[in-house]
Amino acid sequence: MAEVAVQRASGRGIWGWMLFDWAAQPFFTVITTFIFGPYFVSRMASDPETGQAAWGYGIAAAGLAIAVLSPILGSIADQTGPRKPWIALFAAIKITSLCLLWFAAPGSNLFLVVLFFSLASVAAEFSTVFNDSMMPRLVPKSEIGRISNMAWGLGYLGGMIALIFVVAFMAGSSETGRTIVGLDPILGLDPKLGEDARATGPLSAAWYFLFILPMFFFTPDAAKGIPLGPAVREGLSELKSTLGEIRKRSGIFRFLVARMIYQDGVNALLALGGAFAAAMFHWSITEIGLFGIILNVVAIIGCLVAARLDVALGSKTIVMISLVLLSIATIGIVSTGPGYTLFGAWMMPGADSGGLFGTPAEKAYIFFGLLIGLAFGPVQASSRSYMARSVTAAESGRYFGIYALAGRATSFAAPFMVATITLASGSSRLGMAAIVLFLGVGLAILVRTPYPADQPTE
């Protein structure tokens, strides 16, 4: 496919686009993985197994909605033209849903809390579809991998700063009521009522609203297309033809299948890994928050390194290396428990020192967590640039809609499998082990996928 030359956007336009990741990441870092999710699993539910199952089913429900609607919305966006109105619509839904998480007090209705979280997840993903589809219009394809990884690293920096703020100024100890820096939680938040975790919803909402503004002000958008009504009809028709077209573009089809499978594993690992650790080691919000800060520091380094390596080695190589690291890390964390790691082959006796992460097993868990931190940014950023290098700017909306479909089409499968195995076996460890299967199968398919993916397969 011939590439149409893309005129590089202004510096402000590119930075505005990259700041979208900075704005969006605290939702995933603070809400999904490290603060609110573990609070929901360990304190809102009657027991951790029930909490992990409810959280997993909530993630699965959101994934199903995203899978069904993302490609439709992407095709419609290609017809209407501008992406920003769509981002604004879903930003309003996300911000409202996050603010409602404040009412998630211990003993509250689990269904309503999961519903608010799932709505925020769906809105966050749809906004990302439209933001990602703007990327091919901003820089030439040779620069896409670099700005994609830089944006992802910027996102982790934003998530880390938000997490540090929560740990230092909001998350009070259950024993002393003070934060890790010795202060009373701001605004009189009461840790015993879970207010430190519940307040992360409004915090993430305010952060998102503030930092998506530069994208709206400075980043160039597509020209206006046809009105919404005809766009829906044209978009649905185009989606049907696109799905038929993809089967003929065998390289892109293989890449999308591979991503559909491995991204399921990545999503489940990110969503459930923090809650798994909190339940196993009885970590406080402070400890799980510090664990998240450590992972985000490593993630920033991983993205910065990947930004350079993506240019030299290509997006495919970066994705494969990342999947290997994530597989090793997942095996490591499910093989670690109080007093041992590697399924008991390495016993790690030792009394709790009384400090943060006081046992040898907790330190082993953190080591495996560092591998996750190193890889989970590049696997997503370089997957995004892999796709962007394989399509033209004119078809980016519908193909990034399909890309989101590939990332979510079966995204309910991994958390559903984790939740179901956990309930059936009574073991959250056995449930989490299912994630390795998704990472391994996705990697096996990707090995035989061409790069860029618009090339025919062998």
Side-chain angles (χ1 to χ4, degrees):
M1 182 182 303
E3 178 181 347
V4 178
V6 174
Q7 185 175 358
R8 199 175 195 277
S10 68
R12 291 193 306 176
I14 294 172
W15 275 100
W17 180 85
M18 291 197 297
L19 277 174
F20 178 90
D21 281 353
W22 166 285
Q25 187 59 37
F27 168 72
F28 303 103
T29 301
V30 176
I31 301 296
T32 303
T33 306
F34 293 114
I35 302 296
F36 190 87
Y39 160 76
F40 178 93
V41 170
S42 61
R43 294 189 56 190
M44 279 200 66
S46 57
D47 59 81
E49 286 72 28
T50 300
Q52 177 167 299
W55 197 244
Y57 285 132
I59 295 166
L64 183 60
I66 292 164
V68 172
L69 295 176
S70 287
I72 297 173
L73 291 172
S75 291
I76 293 172
D78 273 344
Q79 302 298 322
T80 58
R83 273 53 168 169
K84 292 179 183 179
W86 293 98
I87 295 174
L89 170 64
F90 292 114
I93 296 172
K94 178 180 177 180
I95 289 168
T96 301
S97 300
L98 286 175
C99 289
L100 290 172
L101 293 182
W102 167 254
F103 299 102
S108 298
N109 186 297
L110 294 183
F111 174 79
L112 287 177
V113 176
V114 169
L115 176 62
F116 298 148
F117 166 73
S118 297
L119 283 173
S121 298
V122 170
E125 186 70 28
F126 288 163
S127 297
T128 300
V129 169
F130 296 116
N131 185 70
D132 286 353
S133 71
M134 297 168 74
M135 180 168 48
R137 300 179 183 276
L138 301 179
V139 294
K141 287 189 176 182
S142 60
E143 296 185 49
I144 282 176
R146 182 176 62 85
I147 72 159
S148 181
N149 273 281
M150 285 180 62
W152 220 282
L154 192 64
Y156 287 127
L157 178 60
M160 183 182 68
I161 291 173
L163 193 55
I164 290 172
F165 181 83
V166 171
V167 171
F169 300 108
M170 294 172 61
S173 166
S174 57
E175 290 82 18
T176 66
R178 293 180 177 272
T179 71
I180 194 172
V181 295
L183 300 175
D184 290 328
I186 61 171
L187 304 175
L189 297 173
D190 187 347
K192 294 181 180 179
L193 298 177
E195 291 180 349
D196 46 358
R198 291 155 50 194
T200 58
L203 171 68
S204 299
W207 182 285
Y208 185 65
F209 172 77
L210 179 62
F211 291 112
I212 60 173
L213 293 179
M215 181 273 297
F216 282 105
F217 291 147
F218 303 123
T219 303
D221 204 351
K224 186 172 179 60
I226 62 179
L228 182 60
V232 172
R233 293 190 294 271
E234 289 292 330
L236 292 174
S237 175
E238 186 179 67
L239 173 61
K240 182 179 179 180
S241 65
T242 301
L243 291 174
E245 177 184 307
I246 285 176
R247 290 197 294 269
K248 299 177 182 177
R249 299 174 74 173
S250 57
I252 291 179
F253 179 76
R254 187 185 291 270
F255 168 67
L256 291 172
V257 170
R259 182 176 183 268
M260 177 179 69
I261 297 171
Y262 71 68
Q263 191 63 41
D264 281 5
V266 174
N267 290 340
L269 183 59
L270 297 183
L272 299 170
F276 176 71
M280 178 168 58
F281 293 115
H282 306 290
W283 282 350
S284 65
I285 286 181
T286 299
E287 286 176 305
I288 196 69
L290 287 175
F291 177 61
I293 292 169
I294 293 169
L295 261 62
N296 274 270
V297 170
V298 176
I300 293 167
I301 296 171
C303 286
L304 292 177
V305 172
R308 291 180 175 271
L309 293 180
D310 191 290
V311 176
L313 303 178
S315 301
K316 178 180 177 178
T317 300
I318 301 303
V319 173
M320 290 194 299
I321 292 172
S322 299
L323 289 174
V324 170
L325 291 177
L326 288 172
S327 299
I328 293 171
T330 305
I331 293 170
I333 65 173
V334 300
S335 72
T336 301
Y340 66 89
T341 191
L342 300 179
F343 302 104
W346 184 359
M347 302 304 294
M348 308 185 77
D352 193 329
S353 65
L356 296 170
F357 314 119
T359 67
E362 288 174 271
K363 293 179 174 63
Y365 192 99
I366 290 174
F367 169 76
F368 292 120
L370 295 180
L371 294 182
I372 296 174
L374 191 64
F376 72 61
V379 73
Q380 296 177 92
S382 288
S383 293
R384 180 169 65 178
S385 59
Y386 198 141
M387 187 66 187
R389 284 187 169 119
S390 304
V391 298
T392 65
E395 64 188 6
S396 62
R398 57 194 175 108
Y399 271 93
F400 267 102
I402 302 294
Y403 175 81
L405 168 63
R408 292 290 187 172
T410 57
S411 64
F412 57 88
F416 182 87
M417 185 178 290
V418 170
T420 302
I421 293 175
T422 298
L423 284 180
S425 65
S427 169
S428 56
R429 187 186 312 280
L430 192 59
M432 289 290 290
I435 292 173
V436 179
L437 179 65
F438 290 84
L439 298 174
V441 173
L443 174 60
I445 297 172
L446 189 68
V447 167
R448 298 188 60 192
T449 301
Y451 176 74
D454 57 346
Q455 299 177 11
T457 54
E458 298 178 0

